[in-house]
Amino acid sequence: VNILQMCGRAGRAGYDKEGFAHIILEDNDTLQFEKIMKTPMELTSTLTDDIEMFAFHINNYIYANDGKITKQELYDWYNRTLAYMYNNNAKVLIEETLSKLVDYYMIELKEGIIVQTKLGRISSIMYEYPIDVHSWYMKLKYQFNIKYLNDAMMCNLLSMESEVSNIRNDDIKNAETYIQEHENFNDFVNNYKLDRYNMTLMVNNAYVLYNNTEFEYIIEPIRADIDRRFLTIEFISKMILSIPLNDKFMMYKYRFLYGVKEQLLPLVRIKDIGNKRAEDLYNLNIKNEDDILNNIDKLKQLLGDKLAEKIYLNIKNKYYKW
């Protein structure tokens, strides 16, 4: 399906009469792909397959129309979609989805008029699922405490409810083992009575935070999206809840990006120092840029003359990652 979608983009609509797509294959794959390309595929729509996805699109459609539409306008929009061809009696589904968006505080219904809320606009602007934005809002309002911010709280806060469907049975088993072995996370699960799925989401974030490379399939997608998650949460906290976020909160973004403990941040911040080098330097009692400048010989012994001098110049020239 992905191959067909990419080939379908060959040529510029409105400019080219035809387009060309070239597929480069190993010899033993050629017959298989020829069969795929020659086999007709039924054209289908997935718009209404998942109600959370449908809520996402409806919320964004409302945003695209200045945050206010009538129910009739929403029905008219749906009637123009490919999904309408497969489900032309979607009034019940639309009403159910609107009810869900009301529950998520994305919209308000006023005498047949659908009005998007501030929280709904944040969801649309940041292109996040309404279920996730609502979850972050509720956690910030009822679970989050900036004075007692810790790793378990942040890992729970950054969880995305929309990822529950991606959880595998092995993920749950690994999370249960992790919780048993880590007291702070175990306490958090018990205090907030997290179910096994939300517990697993929290532990998945812990794998990212501590750079547990055994779980690369979890780490990669979360880390790739971490900037957007933090920015969305920052918008909710400042624009909706008026919760001040201190430097420690913002430092977590870099901890997730590089998978390091807080004490390694001053080193990881320096260009050409990653989490492994930072840990090696810290073990030599080199904990910040001043320690590096004052221990260049020790740095050369660990990293070699060329790299040590490069890092030394990075500090002098203020080449930092943030």
Side-chain angles (χ1 to χ4, degrees), residues 1 6 31 35 88 111 123 131 175 205 218 260 269 319:
V1 174
M6 287 187 283
L31 291 177
K35 184 178 179 181
N88 57 19
E111 298 179 356
S123 176
I131 188 175
N205 283 325
I218 288 172
V260 294
R269 177 173 175 256
Y319 292 159

Side-chain angles (χ1 to χ4, degrees), residues 244-307:
L245 301 176
N246 59 22
D247 290 341
K248 185 176 181 180
F249 174 87
M250 299 312 297
M251 285 299 103
Y252 266 101
K253 180 170 72 172
Y254 302 107
R255 286 193 58 196
F256 272 90
L257 280 172
Y258 299 102
V260 294
K261 295 179 180 178
E262 186 175 356
Q263 62 263 31
L264 296 182
L265 286 175
L267 292 170
V268 173
R269 177 173 175 256
I270 301 165
K271 190 173 180 294
D272 294 313
I273 296 182
N275 54 349
K276 182 62 174 65
R277 282 178 187 159
E279 194 170 331
D280 291 341
L281 289 169
Y282 195 88
N283 291 336
L284 289 175
N285 206 33
I286 299 176
K287 301 179 179 180
N288 52 49
E289 56 190 64
D290 288 335
D291 289 342
I292 291 176
L293 295 176
N294 295 327
N295 292 276
I296 187 64
D297 291 336
K298 194 183 289 187
L299 193 69
K300 287 180 178 179
Q301 289 176 5
L302 177 66
L303 304 177
D305 290 358
K306 188 173 181 180
L307 182 55

Side-chain angles (χ1 to χ4, degrees), residues 193-255:
K193 298 179 174 59
L194 298 188
D195 60 40
R196 63 206 307 240
Y197 294 102
N198 281 287
M199 173 199 72
T200 303
L201 291 174
M202 180 179 71
V203 172
N204 285 353
N205 283 325
Y207 294 150
V208 181
L209 185 62
Y210 301 136
N211 207 43
N212 193 332
T213 53
E214 180 184 351
F215 301 97
E216 281 295 333
Y217 73 98
I218 288 172
I219 290 176
E220 287 297 325
I222 295 176
R223 189 165 282 165
D225 193 51
I226 208 70
D227 277 319
R228 192 156 56 112
R229 294 194 195 192
F230 265 89
L231 188 55
T232 305
I233 290 170
E234 190 177 0
F235 282 159
I236 296 168
S237 62
K238 290 183 177 179
M239 298 171 64
I240 308 295
L241 295 170
S242 299
I243 296 175
L245 301 176
N246 59 22
D247 290 341
K248 185 176 181 180
F249 174 87
M250 299 312 297
M251 285 299 103
Y252 266 101
K253 180 170 72 172
Y254 302 107
R255 286 193 58 196

Side-chain angles (χ1 to χ4, degrees), residues 89-129:
N89 186 22
K91 187 172 182 178
V92 173
L93 178 61
I94 289 175
E95 291 295 334
E96 183 183 348
T97 307
L98 289 176
S99 177
K100 188 176 282 286
L101 287 171
V102 170
D103 291 341
Y104 290 159
Y105 310 144
M106 299 289 117
I107 63 171
E108 295 174 348
L109 300 178
K110 301 178 179 179
E111 298 179 356
I113 305 295
I114 306 167
V115 181
Q116 192 174 48
T117 64
K118 286 184 179 179
L119 200 62
R121 286 199 293 275
I122 289 174
S123 176
S124 294
I125 291 168
M126 297 308 298
Y127 215 61
E128 296 283 11
Y129 278 77

